Amino acid sequence: MDYRPWTIDQNMLQRPRRNRKSEVIRQMVQETHVSAANLIFPLFIVDGTFQKSEVASMPGIFRYSIDNLLREIESCLKLGLNSFDLFPNIEESLKDKYATESHREQSLYLRAIREVKKNFPEACVVTDVAMDPYSSDGHDGIVENGEILNDETLEILGKMALAHAQCGADIIAPSDMMDGRVGYIRNLLDENKFTNVSIMSYSAKYASAFYGPFRDALNSAPKFGDKKSYQMNPANQREALLEANLDELEGADYLMVKPALPYLDVIKLIKDNTELPVAAYNVSGEYAMIKAAIQRGWLNEQRAITEVLTGIRRAGASAILTYHAKEVLENKWL
Ligand code: PBG
């Protein structure tokens, strides 16, 4: 039986290919754009001077001592890349059970925030609030008898957040996944008159295999067990909405999903259910995966990277934290 309702030459009114017939038209009807304004560049910091060491599992990404960090930020600003998320690599001897180094006035991290804001007040500095880089257990909370304590951890996270605000942080980003931390931090910031410091909450942060290279960069892997009692189960979507709703009620200014690529549905879901801007973290393992394939000549670098970033934007992310941020601007790929 011929079920076609029309014959091809007469009646095909809709031919979507017409809108793809030239570069000019393709660009005219393009729905999603990525620009420098959407990007946040994560940067790793180490102690010392003149330091610049490449992360083995993240080709092209380095740990910088503060002097070189300032040079790196200056070169990014020249490219129109204005937002940075800082992460510290802390010497093992400075780690303890309560992450005390995280709020010590002269710690590497707090010095770095102050220096960046002093030299580049116009740059937007995002700071990471979590215990793991400073914790001798390598976890995001206080560990007792193999358990991660929630409410006791909030106090330390609060001290960190307040210290970051005092050093000039623009946006505080709690990445620990303790319950109630957004409300706790918001309240503490407000009590201390930091009502203008924003909170970008890692709302839906999954217990992911894709953080491996980041933990190499910071030497911050858990010393025992895993993070499944606080980071989310990759199989869950509705739970992400619960987390996002709570963070919004507690005063978050941005809701983040992390990682990005295996969780585009979660980005879209949260975007459809909030008026707040949504951020997505295109994490270290996603970067490593792309770079490894490119090094082998298996993918076209420019096309693969811009497709990844466009996909994350299309899913609904306003801000993308990505290790590709500088290279896409340096190479004028956007
Ligand atoms: C830790 C933290 C992690 C990342 C950002 N903050 C790792 C983890 O939870 O173990 C991962 C970022 C990346 O993989 O690029 N609080």
Side-chain angles (χ1 to χ4, degrees):
M1 195 182 80
D2 185 358
Y3 58 82
R4 286 181 302 174
W6 57 70
T7 56
I8 283 171
D9 55 342
Q10 283 174 5
N11 251 328
M12 189 151 40
L13 290 179
Q14 286 294 348
R15 284 180 179 268
R17 287 187 55 191
R18 278 195 287 266
N19 283 345
R20 297 178 209 134
K21 73 182 167 197
S22 73
E23 193 52 35
V24 173
I25 291 176
R26 285 194 290 273
Q27 284 186 22
M28 188 189 294
V29 300
Q30 180 166 327
E31 298 173 32
T32 306
H33 294 89
V34 183
S35 82
N38 303 118
L39 305 178
I40 301 174
F41 193 26
L43 289 165
F44 300 128
I45 316 165
V46 280
D47 211 354
T49 43
F50 310 121
Q51 300 295 312
K52 179 181 178 184
S53 65
E54 194 168 29
V55 182
S57 47
M58 301 179 75
I61 295 297
F62 301 85
R63 307 172 191 87
Y64 297 100
S65 52
I66 294 178
D67 52 338
N68 279 334
L69 175 76
L70 297 175
R71 285 187 194 101
E72 176 66 4
I73 288 181
E74 186 172 24
S75 73
C76 290
L77 292 171
K78 284 193 183 130
L79 296 167
L81 177 53
N82 299 315
S83 299
F84 307 92
D85 194 355
L86 308 179
F87 296 95
N89 176 305
I90 303 293
E91 219 181 279
E92 206 59 38
S93 64
L94 295 172
K95 299 182 183 182
D96 65 21
K97 196 170 153 53
Y98 299 103
T100 19
E101 179 66 9
S102 68
H103 45 86
R104 189 175 62 84
E105 172 108 21
Q106 284 309 316
S107 74
L108 167 66
Y109 196 63
L110 298 184
R111 279 187 284 125
I113 302 169
R114 282 191 292 263
E115 282 298 313
V116 174
K117 285 308 290 186
K118 188 175 94 191
N119 285 276
F120 311 107
E122 72 282 18
C124 172
V125 173
V126 183
T127 60
D128 190 65
V129 169
M131 286 174 59
D132 55 336
Y134 314 91
S135 153
S136 45
D137 296 304
H139 276 285
D140 294 27
I142 301 174
V143 180
E144 215 164 88
N145 304 321
E147 260 191 57
I148 315 298
L149 304 182
N150 194 88
D151 300 12
E152 293 80 350
T153 297
L154 297 186
E155 221 175 293
I156 298 174
L157 300 177
K159 284 185 187 164
M160 289 176 70
L162 192 56
H164 297 179
Q166 284 160 345
C167 292
D170 297 278
I171 302 177
I172 308 270
S175 68
D176 54 284
M177 289 301 278
M178 296 301 118
D179 291 336
R181 91 278 207 210
V182 172
Y184 186 90
I185 292 171
R186 182 72 273 161
N187 184 49
L188 194 66
L189 291 175
D190 291 352
E191 275 177 2
N192 287 277
K193 308 264 188 306
F194 289 110
T195 50
N196 282 334
V197 174
S198 318
I199 297 179
M200 177 182 283
S201 178
Y202 287 65
S203 298
K205 177 171 179 179
Y206 287 88
S208 171
F210 291 94
Y211 307 147
F214 173 96
R215 294 176 188 170
D216 293 344
L218 298 190
N219 186 24
S220 64
K223 301 280 168 32
F224 70 90
D226 53 41
K227 298 192 173 185
K228 290 180 184 169
S229 77
Y230 45 106
Q231 299 181 348
M232 284 177 54
N233 180 344
N236 293 356
Q237 192 190 54
R238 290 167 52 78
E239 192 182 352
L241 216 43
L242 171 66
E243 287 283 4
N245 286 337
L246 285 171
D247 288 352
E248 183 160 352
L249 289 172
E250 290 176 31
D253 302 286
Y254 303 76
L255 305 174
M256 193 204 293
V257 175
K258 174 184 178 180
L261 291 182
Y263 302 92
L264 294 176
D265 58 322
V266 179
I267 297 173
K268 165 87 173 128
L269 179 72
I270 292 183
K271 176 73 180 173
D272 288 344
N273 285 282
T274 184
E275 269 73 55
L276 293 177
V278 174
Y281 202 138
N282 176 216
V283 300
S284 57
E286 300 176 77
Y287 176 88
M289 198 160 60
I290 291 270
K291 286 290 168 185
I294 289 165
Q295 281 184 343
R296 294 185 163 209
W298 290 351
L299 289 175
N300 174 288
E301 186 164 33
Q302 173 174 1
R303 294 190 54 207
I305 293 170
T306 52
E307 187 173 331
V308 162
L309 299 179
T310 304
I312 297 169
R313 281 279 291 145
R314 193 192 62 241
S318 307
I320 307 175
L321 296 101
T322 179
Y323 302 96
H324 297 296
K326 190 181 184 194
E327 62 178 341
V328 294
L329 297 172
E330 247 175 349
N331 294 305
K332 300 194 171 28
W333 286 341
L334 295 185

